[in-house]
Amino acid sequence: LPEEYLWELQDLQDKVPPKSFIEFSEGWALDHSQKLQEVFSDISETAYASASTAQVHTGFHNGRKVAIKVLYK
């Protein structure tokens, strides 16, 4: 593809609306044996970032603030 199209497509990948927190939690559950809330505390229900392949929320793990990333299936 011409470079000008690549730049436009890149913007689309970065400007994707987040999925709901329920969908985010269900995505986590597909890949892990523990519930999201059993591993992390004070999880933000508002996405910190989202893109075409994943979504990120913040929370705490062992007292440290962390980013929690779940890939879309």
Side-chain angles (χ1 to χ4, degrees):
L1 290 172
E3 190 171 336
E4 64 222 30
Y5 290 106
L6 294 176
W7 285 110
E8 289 299 319
L9 290 172
Q10 181 178 344
D11 283 345
L12 291 174
Q13 291 176 347
D14 292 339
K15 297 177 182 166
V16 176
K19 294 186 179 186
S20 72
F21 184 73
I22 292 170
E23 289 176 289
F24 178 80
S25 297
E26 289 171 349
W28 168 274
L30 290 173
D31 293 328
H32 300 85
S33 59
Q34 291 180 288
K35 291 181 180 180
L36 187 62
Q37 292 80 359
E38 292 174 346
V39 179
F40 303 100
S41 61
D42 296 323
I43 304 164
S44 170
E45 291 193 12
T46 303
Y48 178 77
S50 62
S52 61
T53 60
Q55 183 165 319
V56 178
H57 288 253
T58 58
F60 286 85
H61 183 261
N62 294 330
R64 295 178 59 196
K65 189 171 186 176
V66 295
I68 309 160
K69 180 178 181 179
V70 173
L71 298 174
Y72 298 144
K73 297 284 180 182

